[in-house]
């Protein structure tokens, strides 16, 4: 599936792992609500500023990346969001249509085969077919070439959250465990080789310094390392508040808590920020102890509207770290 020629593994390499943005495929995942779409958009922006042609692929989701970059939603067709960055929202129906047209060449023939009621029934009976089609589409883009040159220098996958991401990324290995031979097994083989090749692929987890996201990140990291065996990139610790006050300053603020306005309300707001920063620090320390990955800390941003300004802020924090 998703190949009309023998798999080309010429891109594999035994040299030292390249820098994160020098891979061909970068998968970004994490618990829902941790900002993985913002991080995906920011990574794409940094890569584009370095002259790379970048595709950001979302997976059957409410599109966020293109709007974050100030562009209209792309839908199932690749569309340029800003110079150097294109986006696409991969869904199973359009992925099946694209695969069918790739194989059959003619739209009329595609409709005759894949729109047939009996064929549709049997397609629904194939386990994990939607995930296979969507992952195949994304990995096809990551290895596609035009006139001997890569179509994209980097494909960033804004992957589903935690458990859904593991289910999606396990498809090739599950097929290899169950399919004895034939085209589907050959496609599973090249997909698995691409996913597990450290010269071409990395997966980075996004977390925030809160109890539940930290717990899910610890579990997800173990699954990526021990089950998926996908090469791991750095952990992105997002929305980390600044520790603005020393212990001595906190004690002085405590003494001003009941002072009349504006001093009392201001001191209570400062104490609330200090408490949040202290809690975040404890969660970050737990994450650092439990996860065997280098961490890139990203700031908690105060912006009126979560859009291009926020992406620019995160990109600035990433610039020297990736």
């Amino acid at each position: 599936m998703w190949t009309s020629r023998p798999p080309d593994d010429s891109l594999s390499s035994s040299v030292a792992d390249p820098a994160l943005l020098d891979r061909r495929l970068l998968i970004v995942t994490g618990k829902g609500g941790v900002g993985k779409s913002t991080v995906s958009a920011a990574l794409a922006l940094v890569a584009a500023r370095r002259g790379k042609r970048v595709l950001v692929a979302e997976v059957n989701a409410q599109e966020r990346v293109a709007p974050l970059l100030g562009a209209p939603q792309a839908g199932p067709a690749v569309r340029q969001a800003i110079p150097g960055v294109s986006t696409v929202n991969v869904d199973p129906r359009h992925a099946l249509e694209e695969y069918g047209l790739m194989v059959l060449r003619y739209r009329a023939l595609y409709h005759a085969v894949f729109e047939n009621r009996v064929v549709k029934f049997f397609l629904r009976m194939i386990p994990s077919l939607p995930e296979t089609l969507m992952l195949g589409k994304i990995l096809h883009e990551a290895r596609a070439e035009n006139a001997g040159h890569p179509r994209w220098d980097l494909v960033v996958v804004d992957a589903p959250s935690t458990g859904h991401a593991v289910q999606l990324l396990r498809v090739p290995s599950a097929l290899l465990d169950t399919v004895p031979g034939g085209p589907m097994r050959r496609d599973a083989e090249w997909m698995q080789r691409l996913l597990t090749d450290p010269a071409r692929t990395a997966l980075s987890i996004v977390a925030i310094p809160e109890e539940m996201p930290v717990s899910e990140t610890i579990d997800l990291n173990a699954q990526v390392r021990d089950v998926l065996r996908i090469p791991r990139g750095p952990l992105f610790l997002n929305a980390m508040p600044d520790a603005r006050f020393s212990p001595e300053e906190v004690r002085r603020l405590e003494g001003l808590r009941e002072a009349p306005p504006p001093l009392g309300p201001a001191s209570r707001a400062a104490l609330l920020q200090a408490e949040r920063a202290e809690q975040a620090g404890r969660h970050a320390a737990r994450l650092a102890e439990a996860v065997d990955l280098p961490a890139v800390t990203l700031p908690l941003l105060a912006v009126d509207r979560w859009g291009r300004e926020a992406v620019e802020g995160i990109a600035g924090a990433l610039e020297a770290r990736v």
Side-chain angles (χ1 to χ4, degrees):
M1 193 167 290
W2 285 110
T3 179
S4 57
R5 54 183 172 80
D8 176 11
D9 290 318
S10 62
L11 296 173
S12 296
S13 173
S14 60
V15 299
D17 296 352
L20 187 68
L21 298 185
D22 288 335
R23 321 255 180 145
R24 288 282 288 277
L25 179 66
L26 173 56
I27 303 163
V28 181
T29 187
K31 179 177 169 58
V34 298
K36 59 186 181 60
S37 295
T38 303
V39 172
S40 296
L43 287 164
L45 188 59
V46 172
R49 288 173 175 170
R50 296 177 185 177
K52 296 183 182 293
R53 295 160 298 170
V54 185
L55 174 67
V56 183
E58 296 180 80
V59 185
N60 203 25
Q62 177 64 41
E63 281 189 65
R64 290 184 49 80
V65 173
L68 282 170
L69 294 171
Q73 294 182 349
V78 173
R79 178 173 181 171
Q80 180 174 285
I82 59 174
V85 179
S86 296
T87 66
V88 65
N89 187 17
V90 180
D91 68 72
R93 182 172 71 86
H94 289 92
L96 174 61
E97 181 178 355
E98 187 171 341
Y99 171 69
L101 290 171
M102 181 187 299
V103 173
L104 300 175
R105 308 291 183 184
Y106 298 102
R107 187 168 294 276
L109 187 56
Y110 163 80
H111 285 293
V113 175
F114 286 93
E115 296 298 326
N116 179 281
R117 181 171 57 87
V118 177
V119 173
K120 280 185 172 182
F121 173 80
F122 281 107
L123 288 175
R124 287 196 296 270
M125 302 297 290
I126 300 175
S128 300
L129 180 63
E131 290 82 5
T132 304
L133 289 165
M134 292 188 294
L135 184 61
K137 159 68 176 172
I138 293 166
L139 300 189
H140 173 75
E141 293 288 348
R143 74 172 198 159
E145 296 185 351
N146 293 328
H149 299 284
R151 181 181 300 172
W152 308 104
D153 298 307
L154 174 66
V155 173
V156 178
V157 184
D158 182 10
S161 57
T162 314
H164 295 292
V166 172
Q167 180 182 352
L168 176 72
L169 297 169
R170 279 202 71 227
V171 164
S173 63
L175 289 175
L176 291 175
D177 289 339
T178 56
V179 178
M184 184 170 282
R185 182 176 180 86
R186 289 196 296 271
D187 289 334
E189 287 171 347
W190 75 256
M191 290 164 70
Q192 184 70 358
R193 282 196 295 268
L194 175 54
L195 283 174
T196 58
D197 183 356
R200 294 185 285 178
T201 300
L203 182 151
S204 279
I205 303 171
V206 181
I208 56 175
E210 296 177 7
E211 183 174 359
M212 286 302 296
V214 165
S215 295
E216 284 203 22
T217 297
I218 293 169
D219 292 341
L220 177 57
N221 176 62
Q223 291 188 69
V224 174
R225 180 191 60 213
D226 302 331
V227 178
L228 298 177
R229 299 187 181 277
I230 296 175
R232 294 168 297 153
L235 169 73
F236 294 110
L237 182 58
N238 194 26
M240 187 70 182
D242 292 332
R244 299 177 182 175
F245 304 103
S246 69
E248 174 59 28
E249 289 170 329
V250 170
R251 285 192 292 271
R252 292 172 63 187
L253 287 166
E254 286 282 2
L256 298 171
R257 182 189 288 273
E258 303 304 326
L263 201 54
S267 65
R268 289 194 293 273
L271 286 167
L272 184 62
Q273 195 282 332
E275 181 181 2
R276 184 173 184 181
E278 189 274 333
Q279 290 174 346
R282 284 192 282 107
H283 292 309
R286 177 188 168 212
L287 195 59
E289 183 177 351
V291 173
D292 57 333
L293 292 171
V296 175
T297 301
L298 303 172
L300 176 65
L301 298 179
V303 294
D304 294 332
R305 180 176 173 274
W306 205 256
R308 181 66 181 265
E309 181 185 357
V311 175
E312 294 279 1
I314 298 300
L318 286 170
E319 188 71 52
R321 305 290 304 277
V322 295

